[in-house]
Amino acid sequence: MFRSQLYVPSNNEKMIRKTETINADMFIFDLEDAVPDNEKNKARELLNSLLPQLNLKATVCIRINPLYSKEFAHDILFVNKNDKIECLVVPKAEIDLSFLYKLTSKELLPLIETAKGLLRIEDVVRSEGVLGISWGAADLADSLRADVKAVEGSEYIRLKIITTARVYGITPTDKVYFDVKNLEGFRKECEMAKSFGFDGKQVIHPEQVKIANEIFSPSKEEIEWAKRVIEEYEKAKVSGKGAITVDGKLVDAVHYRIAKRLLESELS
């Protein structure tokens, strides 16, 4: 489970080195939007030099440039020469990406950022090698000619992504939160995303990592509830009961499954 996926500009040596001190579950070294066109080669060279030096326990990913861009081929050549890179974050994903997995042997994390990508999300998710999925509000709003804030708050988009991810058994991660100084706003969006069923959050500032890790980990209260449910339900099952009450509330097979999943996520 990736509670926090931190974007790191790949042309910034200081920020790349700082990743060793940040407790994110995934680092996404960005070769796309965070890097100006005239810095792309420098960014690849910098990563090629620094990645072997870093002692990172988190998953190491690269956000490549869009498939249709002139930088895409350069990104793939770079990726195929670097064993430390474990997955590719694919911006503006709209098609079956199996070819990319076969080309690189790297797992894929596509981003839904266009109208076509949202419409064809199942084609994207069914691709060979897909690890999870996330989305980008600003690019999607631009593609839809919509207001960014309206798209950011869309329940439809979140439910579409969550539903598709769960059907195909991959990890759904919510979008980035742009206002890096508003940590309370970020916390609320994390809580909302968790309530929809997302497993984590893409983040753009180290201070957001701690909050994402906290929100997307089971709370002490949730763990205690899960243990009580499992214990009481398993006792009742032996007696032939399929429904009981725990803390004054009905508990049956679905609550038992939820409790088991909570404990499993706490251990993972």
Side-chain angles (χ1 to χ4, degrees), residues 62-227:
I62 298 291
R63 178 160 73 165
I64 59 174
N65 287 280
L67 306 183
Y68 54 79
S69 71
K70 64 180 182 180
E71 297 293 338
F72 170 70
H74 298 294
D75 290 344
I76 298 306
L77 289 173
F78 159 69
V79 163
N80 280 339
K81 292 177 182 178
N82 200 307
D83 293 335
K84 203 155 186 183
I85 298 168
E86 299 171 75
C87 84
L88 305 181
V89 175
V90 186
K92 302 174 181 65
E94 298 177 340
I95 61 173
D96 186 325
L97 299 171
S98 300
F99 78 96
L100 191 54
Y101 176 70
K102 293 172 183 175
L103 192 62
T104 64
S105 299
K106 310 291 185 184
E107 291 185 298
L108 308 175
L109 201 165
L111 302 178
I112 300 302
E113 299 182 296
T114 65
K116 187 182 291 185
L118 188 61
L119 189 65
R120 297 180 177 175
I121 188 171
E122 286 194 66
D123 293 336
V124 174
V125 166
R126 282 195 298 248
S127 304
E128 189 176 355
V130 169
L131 170 70
I133 192 162
S134 189
W135 65 294
D139 281 304
L140 184 53
D142 182 43
S143 176
L144 295 170
R145 299 183 186 178
D147 180 74
V148 176
K149 287 187 177 179
V151 171
E152 282 185 311
S154 171
E155 293 184 1
Y156 166 76
I157 294 169
R158 284 189 168 88
L159 285 172
K160 181 73 172 176
I161 290 170
I162 283 289
T163 302
T164 310
R166 294 306 180 201
V167 166
Y168 292 100
I170 64 168
T171 300
T173 305
D174 196 33
K175 65 172 189 65
V176 301
Y177 183 81
F178 296 117
D179 189 353
V180 295
K181 293 183 179 180
N182 185 1
L183 294 180
E184 186 56 34
F186 175 74
R187 176 180 289 275
K188 288 179 180 177
E189 187 164 279
C190 284
E191 291 170 346
M192 180 266 292
K194 182 179 180 179
S195 73
F196 270 90
F198 284 97
D199 288 340
K201 202 94 165 81
Q202 294 206 322
V203 300
I204 53 176
H205 194 279
E207 289 189 17
Q208 295 177 333
V209 170
K210 183 178 179 181
I211 296 172
N213 287 349
E214 175 195 335
I215 298 298
F216 290 99
S217 296
S219 68
K220 181 181 177 182
E221 292 74 21
E222 286 174 320
I223 295 300
E224 289 175 352
W225 171 85
K227 288 179 178 178

Side-chain angles (χ1 to χ4, degrees), residues 4 34 37 47 105 114 177 228 232 262 268:
S4 52
D37 287 344
L47 284 178
S105 299
T114 65
Y177 183 81
R228 287 198 302 275
E232 295 299 322
L262 268 171
S268 64

Side-chain angles (χ1 to χ4, degrees), residues 32-65:
E32 195 212 10
D33 284 351
V35 180
D37 287 344
N38 62 349
E39 293 268 305
K40 304 281 190 187
N41 284 331
K42 173 191 170 182
R44 284 186 285 261
E45 290 170 3
L46 195 57
L47 284 178
N48 199 46
S49 170
L50 295 180
L51 282 181
Q53 302 176 30
L54 299 177
N55 182 25
L56 300 177
K57 295 179 182 178
T59 301
V60 174
C61 297
I62 298 291
R63 178 160 73 165
I64 59 174
N65 287 280

